[in-house]
Amino acid sequence: MAPKKPTKVLEDILENLSERNFKKFCSGLVGRDKRVKKNQVENKDFLEVAEVMIEKYADEALKVAEELLRDIDCQQAANDLVAEVKEAGLRWGDDSTSEMTVKDFWMSKKDDPEVYCVTEDNYRNRVALLITNIKFSDEKLDRHGAEKDEENMEKLLQSLGYEVVKWQNLTGKGIDDAFKGFAKHPKLKQTDSVFVVIMSHGKLGKIFGADWREDNPDEFAVDKIYRCLNSNGCQALINKPKVVILQACRGVRSGATTWVHDGESTGRPAPPPEDHVPELDKSAHVEKDFIALLASTPDNKAYRETQNGSILIQNIVKVFTPESYQKHIIDLFTKVQDLVSKCGDDQQKQMPAIDRMTLNKKFYLYPGLLDSSH
């Protein structure tokens, strides 16, 4: 049997899209650049759209199609397209990176001085801290839907090669103790990086402990994360990326209707915690190689759906796919920001914030690096 031509490969993929996804694909095609006009794809079938793409993009058509499919979250269709292209021995135009396996991509980056070093041994020793507060002493504060967040985040971290140290329903002191214990974890000497994730209620500069009440401000200061894991607090992590994800409100601004929020609904936001400046390490800046993604901007709420979990975690899982290995952590977080910002309506908006970014190289996660199938 003769190998498929690019037009036929593209036709087969587009034909299998649902009507809704095909419309999204065409809309994305029009919005991508000025090559394709709306009237060239509007009310056209998959055969006509495929012809337009080949005409306008030539050898790049298949690569463009893959990018558009991933943008509209048709990951399986994109994977099928890649498989079809490889089977037919076709090229992606001048860009051959899509044909790389994770290991190929890792090999291309492992000696790059502008990329954080990841060795196979380091990868085997990855470890992450996951803290989820779901149940509170005051039952009115129980975070319904947070079970889904915990499940999703644990699976995601494991898929990225991290052993997950998991805690649930901790007080402020309990969170503090968990970080102090994590900073002494034996794997930190061998790991290439760490993730730390806290999901709870909160306000500016504070995470609520499980015993939080109006008359008992059981809280954990966010700044303690950095004190505990910085060059003074944890020398095993010097020069290694430390990724912080916080799902919690940072204030009381903005309203909610069908969504609940991860923060207290009354009172003024707390001021930032008092800063304690530790003695500088002689060989490394006291705080470097951090990047944090906070669920919202200062003084604003972070939203959670009672069935599907928080808006932030849902979109992190959507962006951090096995196919995302060619994107570094800042690009991934920026995509999460874009998706979350489009949730809700004009009256209910959430914008995650990339905070305390002190990475000085690109950090790639290489999901599935040690899996022989990748």
Side-chain angles (χ1 to χ4, degrees):
M1 182 182 295
K4 290 182 179 179
K5 293 183 178 181
T7 305
K8 178 59 176 172
V9 171
L10 193 51
E11 289 172 354
D12 289 348
I13 294 298
L14 297 182
E15 182 181 15
N16 290 326
L17 293 179
S18 68
E19 182 179 353
R20 180 171 179 270
N21 284 333
F22 182 67
K23 288 182 179 179
K24 289 169 67 176
F25 181 91
C26 292
S27 177
L29 183 59
V30 173
R32 190 177 192 274
D33 52 41
K34 297 180 179 180
R35 295 192 219 184
V36 177
K37 306 299 182 184
K38 185 176 181 180
N39 62 1
Q40 292 176 305
V41 296
E42 191 174 40
N43 299 320
K44 306 294 184 182
D45 62 22
F46 66 93
L47 296 170
E48 294 168 302
V49 171
E51 286 185 6
V52 169
M53 291 191 67
I54 295 297
E55 177 188 348
K56 298 297 182 181
Y57 291 99
D59 290 343
E60 297 180 352
L62 295 172
K63 174 60 177 172
V64 170
E66 184 208 2
E67 292 175 352
L68 289 172
L69 289 168
R70 297 203 189 284
D71 285 344
I72 63 173
D73 297 320
C74 291
Q75 302 296 339
Q76 188 57 55
N79 293 341
D80 291 343
L81 175 59
V82 173
E84 288 272 6
V85 169
K86 289 182 178 179
E87 185 177 345
L90 299 172
R91 294 180 58 81
W92 295 96
D94 293 333
D95 185 359
S96 61
T97 56
S98 289
E99 299 179 71
M100 287 185 173
T101 65
V102 175
K103 197 152 193 173
D104 290 337
F105 184 72
W106 167 71
M107 288 290 291
S108 74
K109 296 293 183 183
K110 70 185 187 72
D111 296 321
D112 188 334
E114 296 184 358
V115 174
Y116 282 101
C117 178
V118 175
T119 69
E120 290 178 287
D121 183 58
N122 295 151
Y123 194 98
R124 291 187 183 93
N125 285 282
R126 285 183 166 181
V127 61
L129 177 64
L130 174 61
I131 298 172
T132 312
N133 280 355
I134 303 172
K135 299 291 185 181
F136 288 76
S137 298
D138 182 349
E139 294 183 359
K140 295 191 297 294
L141 295 177
D142 286 355
R143 301 178 61 246
H144 305 290
E147 301 90 343
K148 188 68 174 177
D149 285 339
E150 182 182 54
E151 176 188 348
N152 286 339
M153 186 52 67
E154 182 175 16
K155 287 181 179 178
L156 175 61
L157 291 170
Q158 289 172 342
S159 75
L160 297 173
Y162 292 88
E163 173 192 319
V164 181
V165 178
K166 186 169 68 171
W167 296 91
Q168 194 178 96
N169 303 330
L170 296 181
T171 63
K173 183 179 183 306
I175 297 173
D176 191 35
D177 290 342
F179 267 93
K180 289 177 180 177
F182 184 72
K184 298 176 183 177
H185 196 291
K187 278 194 172 184
L188 297 189
K189 292 180 180 179
Q190 287 79 39
T191 189
D192 58 70
S193 58
V194 294
F195 269 71
V196 294
V197 183
I198 306 180
M199 300 183 286
S200 184
H201 292 297
K203 56 187 177 183
L204 191 62
K206 305 283 187 178
I207 300 293
F208 287 8
D211 286 341
W212 193 94
R213 297 187 307 276
E214 288 277 3
D215 60 350
N216 180 43
D218 175 30
E219 298 169 348
F220 171 79
V222 171
D223 198 54
K224 287 185 178 180
I225 299 172
Y226 302 92
R227 298 180 200 171
C228 194
L229 300 181
N230 69 17
S231 299
N232 280 342
C234 186
Q235 293 192 5
L237 291 178
I238 291 176
N239 297 326
K240 299 176 182 180
K242 296 164 278 285
V243 182
V244 179
I245 297 175
L246 301 182
Q247 165 55 38
C249 286
R250 302 179 70 194
V252 298
R253 290 183 184 168
S254 150
T257 54
T258 58
W259 291 349
V260 291
H261 59 85
D262 277 343
E264 191 225 345
S265 60
T266 61
R268 295 181 179 179
E274 292 183 6
D275 190 22
H276 169 69
V277 181
E279 183 180 349
L280 289 175
D281 187 277
K282 293 181 180 179
S283 62
H285 191 280
V286 67
E287 182 176 312
K288 66 185 295 287
D289 308 302
F290 279 96
I291 185 170
L293 184 65
L294 280 55
S296 64
T297 49
D299 302 323
N300 290 296
K301 295 178 181 178
Y303 295 103
R304 173 174 32 88
E305 295 177 328
T306 57
Q307 296 298 317
N308 300 316
S310 66
I311 306 305
L312 177 70
I313 303 303
Q314 288 182 53
N315 284 285
I316 287 176
V317 171
K318 184 180 294 186
V319 169
F320 282 63
T321 65
E323 296 79 28
S324 66
Y325 62 87
Q326 295 183 38
K327 295 183 181 295
H328 57 79
I329 192 73
I330 299 175
D331 284 347
L332 293 169
F333 278 174
T334 301
K335 180 63 175 178
V336 171
Q337 287 180 299
D338 179 55
L339 291 177
V340 173
S341 71
K342 294 174 181 176
C343 296
D345 55 35
D346 290 340
Q347 302 302 315
Q348 300 167 332
K349 286 294 186 182
Q350 179 177 337
M351 173 56 79
I354 297 176
D355 192 48
R356 290 176 85 146
M357 212 295 291
T358 55
L359 298 180
N360 56 11
K361 300 179 182 181
K362 294 179 180 178
F363 176 44
Y364 293 95
L365 289 160
Y366 310 113
L369 175 62
L370 303 183
D371 186 341
S372 59
S373 65
H374 291 73

